[in-house]
């Protein structure tokens, strides 16, 4: 049987991570872990598909029940990965993709040493600002906050196994597939 991989993907917001993963996830061999969050849904986001949206009290209840593999605060909200669905998907032989920020990724590094860590980086911070502005889902204040956050996150890049720079989207998607294929073929 194909070995299942736990793949942790981090990227500052606006790096095109969602678009890259959207293509990758068309293949049924991948399972996308739907995180829990206390932030409000953005336009078009569906509960249970993009996130499990919940109030802070419910999130804290799940923390106390030890339901999370990892969780972290990010830009004034909680985000967390629920354990059970991941364990089930890995048991079915699927590759599980966690799309999480760097603090959570570092927690997984300690908990699951076999996991594979991919960082998706923007060509530069100015390009990132332009992309976030063009997306139009956040206010100017939030964009500034997220750019500052991105600069901090970029410092963690060295802790990852692979870095994919999303300059040309098709190349970034091909790079992602190459990384996974190499990991599938790896002997040890
Ligand atoms: P956004 O609000 O833009 O959807 O996500 C903000 C950040 O939270 C992104 O870097 C995203 O990868 C991260 N994130 C999403 N889900 C989780 C999670 O379950 N755990 C952690 N640690 N970060 C998450």
């Amino acid at each position: 049987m194909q070995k299942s991989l736990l793949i942790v993907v981090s990227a500052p917001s606006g790096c095109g991570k969602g678009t890259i993963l959207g293509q990758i996830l068309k293949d049924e061999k991948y399972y996308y872990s739907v995180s829990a969050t206390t932030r409000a849904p953005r336009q078009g986001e569906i509960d249970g598909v993009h996130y499990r949206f919940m109030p802070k009290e419910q999130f804290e209840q799940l923390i106390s029940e030890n339901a999370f593999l990892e969780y972290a605060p990010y830009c004034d909200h909680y985000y967390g990965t629920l354990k059970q669905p991941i364990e089930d998907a890995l048991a079915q032989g699927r590759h599980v993709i966690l799309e999480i920020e760097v603090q959570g990724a570092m927690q997984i590094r300690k908990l699951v040493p076999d996991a594979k860590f991919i960082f998706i980086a923007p060509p530069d911070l100015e390009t990132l600002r332009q992309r976030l502005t063009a997306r139009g889902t956040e206010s100017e204040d939030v964009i500034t906050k997220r750019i500052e956050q991105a600069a901090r996150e970029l410092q963690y890049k060295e802790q990852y196994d692979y870095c994919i720079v999303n300059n040309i989207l098709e190349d970034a998607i091909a790079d992602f597939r190459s990384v996974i294929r190499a990991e599938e073929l790896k002997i040890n």
Side-chain angles (χ1 to χ4, degrees):
M1 189 169 91
Q2 160 96 39
K3 66 176 165 183
S4 351
L5 302 168
L6 182 63
I7 305 156
V8 177
V9 182
S10 300
S13 59
C15 279
K17 172 186 55 176
T19 316
I20 295 170
L21 293 182
Q23 290 301 314
I24 297 297
L25 289 163
K26 285 184 178 164
D27 187 335
E28 285 278 303
K29 73 179 171 183
Y30 294 101
Y31 172 85
Y32 178 77
S33 159
V34 178
S35 296
T37 185
T38 58
R39 84 149 162 77
R42 296 192 187 117
Q43 195 163 13
E45 283 184 333
I46 301 162
D47 187 37
V49 175
H50 298 94
Y51 281 105
R52 285 154 218 244
F53 296 99
M54 58 181 67
K56 196 168 168 223
E57 297 66 37
Q58 190 181 345
F59 197 103
E60 285 171 343
Q61 175 67 29
L62 288 168
I63 296 175
S64 70
E65 289 168 8
N66 199 22
F68 290 110
L69 182 58
E70 63 72 40
Y71 68 92
Y74 181 93
C75 289
D76 305 330
H77 293 289
Y78 277 132
Y79 293 81
T81 307
L82 291 159
K83 278 182 201 167
Q84 194 60 55
I86 292 175
E87 286 168 5
D88 295 346
L90 288 171
Q92 288 165 13
R94 297 173 80 189
H95 297 327
V96 172
I97 296 192
L98 305 187
E99 182 188 341
I100 65 177
E101 52 64 69
V102 294
Q103 307 164 73
M106 295 304 107
Q107 292 177 47
I108 306 273
R109 220 323 154 230
K110 292 201 193 99
L111 288 166
V112 192
D114 278 357
K116 307 302 164 199
F117 293 79
I118 302 177
F119 195 91
I120 300 176
D124 54 71
L125 288 179
E126 186 44 40
T127 311
L128 187 62
R129 177 179 288 279
Q130 286 164 11
R131 286 182 187 170
L132 280 174
T133 307
R135 185 162 85 180
T137 51
E138 266 89 13
S139 66
E140 201 50 46
D141 270 8
V142 173
I143 290 177
T144 301
K145 218 171 177 179
R146 288 196 170 221
I147 295 286
E148 288 165 7
Q149 180 71 25
R152 282 194 290 274
E153 285 174 340
L154 278 165
Q155 295 172 2
Y156 283 83
K157 195 180 77 181
E158 305 302 319
Q159 315 280 333
Y160 285 67
D161 299 315
Y162 302 93
C163 177
I164 297 173
V165 177
N166 184 14
N167 192 8
I168 298 165
L169 181 64
E170 288 69 30
D171 291 351
I173 294 166
D175 288 346
F176 197 105
R177 291 202 171 107
S178 303
V179 163
I180 302 305
R181 190 66 191 133
E183 287 293 345
E184 286 173 350
L185 298 175
K186 206 164 181 181
I187 294 165
N188 290 308

